[in-house]
Amino acid sequence: MGRFLKHAVHQAVETDETGIRAYINIVPLLSFCYYDFYDETFDGNIGGLLHIEKILILAKMYPYCGDANKNIIRNFFQKEIKGADWVFFDRYGEAVLNGILVPDRDFEQKIYNNINVIKEKSQGCYPNTYQDILITMFNLYGKGKIIDTNRLKSILRQSEDAMLIFLSDMEGFDYSVFDINWLQYFSDGLLADIAQCETARMNICRKFAEQIESYNVGSPLLKKFFRYFVS
């Protein structure tokens, strides 16, 4: 497995920007498996991944790296992301979630100050950058890694996006408009947090029961449901 992981890292290094997306999940998954099976961190050469377009790979594999590679990754993020523009929100989010960077008030404010422009430009687009940013920020909020929490909650409530309003107020949300397909956009950590809210859990189970009766639930979504909402 160690050789397989090194080969995957080498392939990611050799892949150009158009093909890198597949490796963003594959390399960290292999890093986790190697760590989980053998209790071994990845100490191989990561120098070829020190590029801005491959930085998400580094962020996601960071928890499974040895100290030397962790130091390299931290220094790289400090140089490339600290002070960067809001467009790097996904890299920033992963870095903060994984402990590479600490929450940064200036970066948050860049997102908050541009959120209305982002919202306008994202209308009718897929993927929707506006939704992706606020889901990322809510993920950070759930882990206690947002500094200006009040402004984030206000933006979510005023978003006019039912999915984002749900995240801002799971207890008071109108579940008649809840769409079970929202769950496919949420990270594993966020799904686990949602499942801890009894009101959300109960209503989501009811929504799934209604859709299952109509045979309207695909296999991937059903797996998420049983993993997080059925004890």
Side-chain angles (χ1 to χ4, degrees), residues 7 19 28 56 75 98 105 115 135 169 175 181 184 194 208:
H7 178 71
L56 268 175
N75 290 335
N98 289 317
R105 183 180 293 275
I115 200 66
I135 289 172
D169 184 13
Y175 283 90
N181 290 297
Q184 65 186 314
I194 293 170
F208 264 92

Side-chain angles (χ1 to χ4, degrees), residues 35-54:
Y35 179 82
D36 191 50
F37 291 166
Y38 301 109
D39 196 25
E40 293 283 345
T41 56
F42 181 71
D43 299 311
N45 188 348
I46 60 171
L49 295 176
L50 299 176
H51 298 282
I52 196 66
E53 69 271 13
K54 299 177 181 179

Side-chain angles (χ1 to χ4, degrees), residues 38-209:
Y38 301 109
D39 196 25
E40 293 283 345
T41 56
F42 181 71
D43 299 311
N45 188 348
I46 60 171
L49 295 176
L50 299 176
H51 298 282
I52 196 66
E53 69 271 13
K54 299 177 181 179
I55 201 170
L56 268 175
I57 297 175
L58 295 173
K60 292 186 175 188
M61 70 186 296
Y62 175 85
Y64 318 114
C65 287
D67 289 341
N69 276 342
K70 282 185 174 180
N71 285 332
I72 292 171
I73 293 171
R74 276 196 301 268
N75 290 335
F76 184 63
F77 269 87
Q78 286 284 343
K79 175 185 174 183
E80 296 293 333
I81 297 300
K82 224 124 149 100
D85 196 57
W86 66 264
V87 295
F88 295 104
F89 72 90
D90 50 350
R91 284 85 155 177
Y92 169 81
E94 284 290 341
V96 174
L97 281 174
N98 289 317
I100 303 170
L101 298 176
V102 297
D104 186 286
R105 183 180 293 275
D106 289 341
F107 196 95
E108 284 184 20
Q109 295 306 317
K110 287 177 184 177
I111 291 176
Y112 297 150
N113 292 340
N114 286 280
I115 200 66
N116 289 330
V117 174
I118 298 166
K119 179 180 180 180
E120 183 178 344
K121 289 184 176 180
S122 297
Q123 289 182 358
C125 296
Y126 182 83
N128 189 299
T129 303
Y130 175 71
Q131 287 184 339
D132 289 345
I133 286 176
L134 291 183
I135 289 172
T136 296
M137 297 295 279
F138 191 84
N139 269 319
L140 293 172
Y141 168 73
K143 301 302 180 185
K145 294 180 180 291
I146 287 289
I147 297 173
D148 192 346
T149 59
N150 289 331
R151 192 168 181 189
L152 175 61
K153 289 179 181 178
S154 176
I155 289 171
L156 288 168
R157 285 194 298 268
Q158 298 171 20
S159 66
E160 301 173 2
D161 184 304
M163 180 174 69
L164 298 175
I165 294 171
F166 159 71
L167 292 177
S168 71
D169 184 13
M170 296 182 200
E171 292 288 350
F173 185 71
D174 177 8
Y175 283 90
S176 67
V177 299
F178 185 88
D179 185 344
I180 61 172
N181 290 297
W182 295 345
L183 301 183
Q184 65 186 314
Y185 301 113
F186 301 154
S187 68
D188 290 343
L190 181 52
L191 287 170
D193 290 341
I194 293 170
Q196 293 300 310
C197 174
E198 187 59 33
T199 299
R201 185 187 186 95
M202 178 183 66
N203 281 283
I204 289 171
C205 286
R206 180 174 56 81
K207 281 285 186 177
F208 264 92

